[in-house]
Amino acid sequence: MSEWPGHAVLQVPCPPLEPWVRARYQHYDASLVSSDPRHVHAHVTLLGPVPAALSPAQSTAVESICSGHARFEVRLDRVATFPNGVVHVVPEPLDPFRRLTDDLVAAFPEWPAYAGAFTPTPHITLDALSEQVSESSVAAAVAHLMGRPWRPDRVDLVWYRSHEVRVLRTWALG
């Protein structure tokens, strides 16, 4: 079996949910727990996969898109489950994340979101349904982290590969 080559994504880190999400990464696949202090495991994916090595023009375009989006406030109040069993938090409102993704897709049509497999829905992954995990059990476990406003401040380019997860680049919002 060949080793997973890895991939990069553009994501918005969500520090308020980091304790829970990092623990779940540790539980499911410790090889994806990052030692990079800049990396936040809890995140909203905007676009991926993307090249890990951006050209100067690509980096400038990402910077322009990020700086063109004012910082915004969202609430982390609702836990939901996708049909595939991924339990997640819905950051509300969704529109600021959708606009960022739309602008990135427009600038880089050669990088379709999720490789064109589906239309992205902004979310922060928490867990996956199983005999031991339900939406209600996850909601109860993260209740102490919910109900707080969150002000995203940046977009990170993150490399994901076993034992090599790290932030490659960061751009400020606004």
Side-chain angles (χ1 to χ4, degrees):
M1 179 160 63
S2 64
E3 186 175 331
W4 175 47
H7 66 264
V9 301
L10 291 166
Q11 64 187 42
V12 176
C14 179
L17 296 177
E18 178 63 359
W20 173 266
V21 173
R22 183 183 175 93
R24 298 320 288 162
Y25 269 78
Q26 186 70 43
H27 173 76
Y28 284 110
D29 188 351
S31 77
L32 294 178
V33 175
S34 179
S35 61
D36 181 346
R38 301 170 301 161
H39 178 64
V40 178
H41 297 79
H43 64 271
V44 175
T45 300
L46 298 176
L47 190 59
V50 302
L54 300 182
S55 71
Q58 291 168 332
S59 183
T60 297
V62 173
E63 181 176 27
S64 177
I65 291 166
C66 292
S67 67
H69 283 262
R71 292 184 182 179
F72 52 94
E73 184 172 287
V74 295
R75 303 246 344 140
L76 304 172
D77 293 327
R78 185 166 61 96
V79 173
T81 303
F82 288 126
N84 67 357
V86 172
V87 183
H88 60 278
V89 171
V90 179
E92 296 177 352
L94 295 172
D95 287 341
F97 297 105
R98 286 186 172 137
R99 285 192 299 270
L100 273 163
T101 295
D102 289 348
D103 287 353
L104 289 163
V105 168
F108 305 106
E110 66 276 21
W111 307 341
Y114 293 99
F118 54 89
T119 302
T121 299
H123 68 281
I124 300 118
T125 299
L126 296 175
D127 215 321
L129 295 179
S130 70
E131 288 184 18
Q132 298 78 30
V133 177
S134 67
E135 183 178 307
S136 60
S137 70
V138 173
V142 300
H144 68 287
L145 300 172
M146 303 294 282
R148 303 175 190 169
W150 164 47
R151 292 189 60 82
D153 63 354
R154 71 182 198 261
V155 172
D156 291 340
L157 174 63
V158 177
W159 174 249
Y160 284 94
R161 185 174 178 196
S162 295
H163 306 288
E164 296 180 21
V165 178
R166 65 188 180 282
V167 174
L168 300 172
R169 186 85 194 268
T170 295
W171 298 271
L173 291 172

